[in-house]
Amino acid sequence: MSATFKSIRSLQPLFDRVLVQRFKAETKTATGIFLPSSATQSPLPEATVIAVGPGATSADGKVVPCSVKEGDRVLLPSWGGSPIKVGEEEYQLFKDGEILAKINE
């Protein structure tokens, strides 16, 4: 099941949720050969962070901020996430703890 919104600005993640957009698989090689859809079906594990919630509340009542921020490149698991569609663009909502790594370049 996926949710559909008209604008990405209308969506603000809550708690320790992180809104990401996965990188799209290349459909053409550097030499100009088009790849079949069967070769590009699995989602890429890399994504860009679009929006971040304020953080989760700890047992003592303090807010623990998320470990990533808007614009970060992250490594995601191949499973999980809640799909969200905004116009023709696809996004996913993950918990901060489900993100595998932050990619520093």
Side-chain angles (χ1 to χ4, degrees), residues 1-3 17 19-20 80-85 91-94 98:
M1 183 171 142
S2 68
R17 302 291 195 278
L19 182 68
V20 299
S82 300
I84 296 172
K85 192 166 186 175
Y91 300 87
Q92 286 186 306
L93 200 57
F94 281 90
E98 293 175 343

Side-chain angles (χ1 to χ4, degrees), residues 4 6 14 32 39-40 46 65 71 73 75 77-78 81 94 100:
T4 304
K6 291 182 180 179
L14 298 176
T40 60
E46 293 181 37
R73 287 183 57 198
L75 187 64
S78 58
F94 281 90
L100 302 176

Side-chain angles (χ1 to χ4, degrees), residues 2-22:
S2 68
T4 304
F5 299 91
K6 291 182 180 179
S7 167
I8 194 66
R9 303 238 184 248
S10 66
L11 187 64
Q12 173 62 44
L14 298 176
F15 305 112
D16 63 340
R17 302 291 195 278
V18 179
L19 182 68
V20 299
Q21 184 175 30
R22 287 187 187 263

Side-chain angles (χ1 to χ4, degrees), residues 3-61:
T4 304
F5 299 91
K6 291 182 180 179
S7 167
I8 194 66
R9 303 238 184 248
S10 66
L11 187 64
Q12 173 62 44
L14 298 176
F15 305 112
D16 63 340
R17 302 291 195 278
V18 179
L19 182 68
V20 299
Q21 184 175 30
R22 287 187 187 263
F23 292 143
K24 292 184 176 25
E26 292 292 326
T27 57
K28 188 167 77 168
T29 65
T31 58
I33 299 172
F34 286 96
L35 299 171
S37 60
S38 61
T40 60
Q41 282 182 333
S42 63
L44 294 177
E46 293 181 37
T48 301
V49 175
I50 305 299
V52 178
T57 305
S58 66
D60 60 354

Side-chain angles (χ1 to χ4, degrees), residues 60-95:
D60 60 354
K62 295 182 181 177
V63 175
V64 179
C66 292
S67 58
V68 295
K69 63 183 183 316
E70 291 179 19
D72 284 348
R73 287 183 57 198
V74 294
L75 187 64
L76 300 173
S78 58
W79 49 267
S82 300
I84 296 172
K85 192 166 186 175
V86 179
E88 295 298 315
E89 297 292 323
E90 294 181 8
Y91 300 87
Q92 286 186 306
L93 200 57
F94 281 90
K95 281 189 148 194

